[in-house]
Amino acid sequence: MTAIIMDADPGVDDLAAILLALASPELSVLGVTTVAGNVPVEASAANACKALALAGRKDVPVFAGCSRPLVRAQIFGKHAYLGAFPDHVVPATDKRPEPAHAVSFIADAARQAVASGTPLTICATGPLTNLAMALTLDENVKAGIARIVIMGGAFTALGNRAPWAEMNMLADPHAAHAVLASGVPVSLFPLDVTLQALVEDSHLQRMREGAGRAGRALADLFQLSDRSDIDRYGRPGGPIHDIMPVAFLLAPELFEMRHAAIGVETGDHTMGHTYADFSGEAAAAGSAEIARRVDDQALLSLLLDRLETYASKNASTAEIRP
Amino acid sequence: MTSLPIIIDCDPGVDDAIALLLALASPKLDIRGVTVVCGNVPVSATSRNALQILELAGRSDIPVYAGCPRPLVVAPIYGQFHGVGGLGKTELPAPSHDVAPGHAVDFLIRQLEHALAADQQITICTLGPMTNIGVLLRMRPDLGPAIARIVSMGGAYREAGNRTMTSEFNMLADPHAASIVFSSDIPIVSISLDATHQVMATPERAQRFLPYKGRVGETVSAFLSHWDRNDPRRYGSRGGPMHDPLVTAFLIAPHLFETERARVFVEHSSPLCLGQTVADRYGKSGETPNVDIVTKVDAEGFFALLEEHLARYSPVEA
């Protein structure tokens, strides 16, 4: 079983990633840390609490993290108007974030992982501010992290928040640079691959009908934030970016990965742009790999199959409302 | 007289060591702790050096907390004038104490939380790169009001840089952390190369510490002779600039200093000017001034203050 921390900015597709991870016996989720990104950090922490309650896993602690990027001016996601998930879609909960800071939790967990000799995996689906800060605190933090799996970047695909940049990289490019340059092994899931798997109406219907209250909430949120763009994607459906790094931990065979030397631009004009060199010694020597292709049908089947375990958990979600 | 509660965040460092010895000799300052950071030397060495200096001063009761071992975004750089271990050629006894458990940033957070709850404020002195304070402010922006002000050694406004053409070492070593601090609402006193190059520890001035036969006087004399840049073309005389000691001197004897208010920006993206401090004295930026930049120092007054304070250490027979 792989011990993971989910560092996220829920966010609709973050919610999908959290539900997928919690439905997977291969993963032990030590905690969910949140950051400002899709929404302000108070909303992302509240949404993480709601996500865990929805999954019937209020035992998993939530830690609120950084409220703004390291140095650049703050931006939020395209769907930031959603803010905290509405109660009629994702029920209210009495679960609250723990008092400790997300950066402290990540650093402490990594130090303990060093002590116990079992390094952690971090699954990052938001801006990388918390991770950059944790890696700055203490060399043991780096030593305690086996791998960071990240949703972020765009190499051959155009960006989604700017023509040249993907949202998570654009929102805190300096933090992204710090993480990518840290030497910690990284698996990156950029738009190039996340746009290969689109959630269509038939998938949402299966979620709504077969995955209990969690599935209904996720399907409703997808419809609240219309993600389809037939002009861009050439077919109906919307991307579900953040499930990719979780799915990789469950079924790496679904992804074609390539080693690369990668970087992110922190300058003014193309801030947040990610670049990769797939050739030569730099790529071979680097500690990063980038997802190039995904088996989209198998991926969506994996998601829907795992979400169906929530159908039988409906009874346990009855305790959500205090 | 109530003493001023301060935390000294530093990277000792020869001049940090003198700054600490000056502060430790003043009843005006209540040093709550010393936090160290990667800077002149790696953080393992700055930790050891801080412990050694506190023991030299007979003040092992003050805790030392190890902080960040690297800057936020850029790769680490180290100082050039501090010798291999960070204290020049001086060999002090191995410290009998260890650093306090826990991280420097956690210590800062705890102290500031207590201060905030008690409606008090703490002054923070920064003698090195601002990594610990940058991390603190990004983790806990709510604690800003508990900081009375930050008195910082760093930057260069009218002077050229000392590590690159434009940039002073502490700013260059972590320009992103510096930018976080200077873009906050916390009042800052900036002691830059503009000030420190006015206060040269010439060989004549260094001699003044020799009569103090105790270990502190001898150690400071050794520090100052190691510190001599021997570059009159640059500095107008022999000797080394008294960078960090001006921070603690400012808190003890502010009448020795003249300041000018300005908004300060720190360059963090230009390869040519990385770490440059840019002062807006005339409202060009439209931003509210947030920094008192030290423009003039009474150098003779400073050395008299240092001599008088170091004389307070009772001679210890070796």
Side-chain angles (χ1 to χ4, degrees), chain B:
Chain B
M1 184 188 73
T2 56
S3 53
L4 183 73
I6 70 169
I7 294 171
I8 301 180
D9 186 62
C10 58
D11 59 337
V14 172
D15 58 327
D16 304 70
I18 300 172
L20 284 167
L21 289 169
L22 174 59
L24 291 162
S26 173
K28 289 186 178 176
L29 302 180
D30 168 17
I31 306 173
R32 299 284 174 88
V34 173
T35 55
V36 300
V37 67
C38 165
N40 290 318
V41 282
V43 75
S44 56
T46 57
S47 303
R48 176 186 165 92
N49 294 342
L51 290 166
Q52 287 176 316
I53 295 299
L54 289 172
E55 290 191 12
L56 176 69
R59 290 302 303 276
S60 299
D61 57 303
I62 297 174
V64 174
Y65 291 88
C68 296
R70 54 154 298 131
L72 276 174
V73 180
V74 297
I77 58 170
Y78 301 103
Q80 295 170 322
F81 301 102
H82 300 268
V84 176
L87 295 180
K89 294 191 178 69
T90 303
E91 296 267 356
L92 291 171
S96 58
H97 292 69
D98 203 351
V99 290
H103 196 280
V105 173
D106 292 329
F107 170 72
L108 286 159
I109 288 173
R110 281 198 307 277
Q111 286 283 317
L112 295 170
E113 279 177 343
H114 288 150
L116 201 62
D119 204 18
Q120 291 168 350
Q121 288 187 315
I122 295 175
T123 295
I124 295 178
C125 301
T126 66
L127 312 183
M130 291 176 149
T131 316
N132 287 339
I133 312 304
V135 170
L136 165 73
L137 294 180
R138 277 294 172 268
M139 277 179 74
R140 294 294 303 273
D142 59 307
L143 294 177
I147 301 175
R149 61 183 171 179
I150 294 172
V151 184
S152 157
M153 191 277 135
Y157 303 96
R158 294 188 157 111
E159 280 285 310
N162 63 355
R163 188 58 182 262
T164 63
M165 291 83 78
T166 59
S167 302
E168 180 278 331
F169 174 82
N170 288 341
M171 298 292 110
L172 181 68
D174 196 342
H176 299 89
S179 178
I180 289 171
V181 174
F182 278 94
S183 58
S184 73
D185 297 327
I186 298 163
I188 297 172
V189 177
S190 176
I191 297 177
S192 73
L193 300 186
D194 298 16
T196 68
H197 286 188
Q198 297 173 30
V199 187
M200 296 298 292
T202 60
E204 299 72 36
R205 282 169 169 160
Q207 292 278 324
R208 285 162 62 172
F209 299 96
L210 274 178
Y212 304 102
K213 285 297 179 203
R215 283 223 304 264
V216 172
E218 287 172 8
T219 302
V220 170
S221 293
F223 283 158
L224 292 179
S225 67
H226 173 86
W227 200 237
D228 187 353
R229 299 287 195 278
N230 199 6
D231 189 357
R233 189 176 77 92
R234 168 98 198 257
Y235 296 106
S237 72
R238 277 189 59 188
M242 287 286 86
H243 303 299
D244 293 343
L246 293 189
V247 171
T248 46
F250 179 87
L251 293 175
I252 299 167
H255 61 277
L256 300 177
F257 297 79
E258 288 179 22
T259 61
E260 180 178 31
R261 267 188 93 65
R263 184 80 192 186
V264 170
F265 303 86
V266 183
E267 177 59 56
H268 58 72
S269 48
S270 156
L272 183 63
C273 303
L274 191 69
Q276 183 172 18
T277 44
V278 179
D280 175 15
R281 296 180 181 81
Y282 307 114
K284 299 296 182 197
S285 67
E287 302 280 341
T288 315
N290 59 341
V291 179
D292 290 310
I293 296 175
V294 172
T295 52
K296 202 163 185 324
V297 187
D298 176 350
E300 267 311 310
F302 165 79
F303 281 100
L305 181 85
L306 183 63
E307 189 178 350
E308 189 259 314
H309 277 70
L310 296 185
R312 295 177 186 177
Y313 289 103
S314 57
V316 177
E317 295 310 320

Side-chain angles (χ1 to χ4, degrees), chain A residues 67-71 101 103-104 111 133 135-139 174 177-178, chain B residues 67-73 103 105-106 131 135 138-139 141 176 180 268:
Chain A
S67 60
R68 54 150 298 156
L70 287 180
V71 288
H101 196 280
V103 172
S104 302
R111 290 178 190 123
M133 302 256 293
L135 287 166
T136 301
L137 280 179
D138 183 341
E139 296 290 359
H174 300 89
H177 173 82
Chain B
C68 296
R70 54 154 298 131
L72 276 174
V73 180
H103 196 280
V105 173
D106 292 329
T131 316
V135 170
R138 277 294 172 268
M139 277 179 74
H176 299 89
I180 289 171
H268 58 72

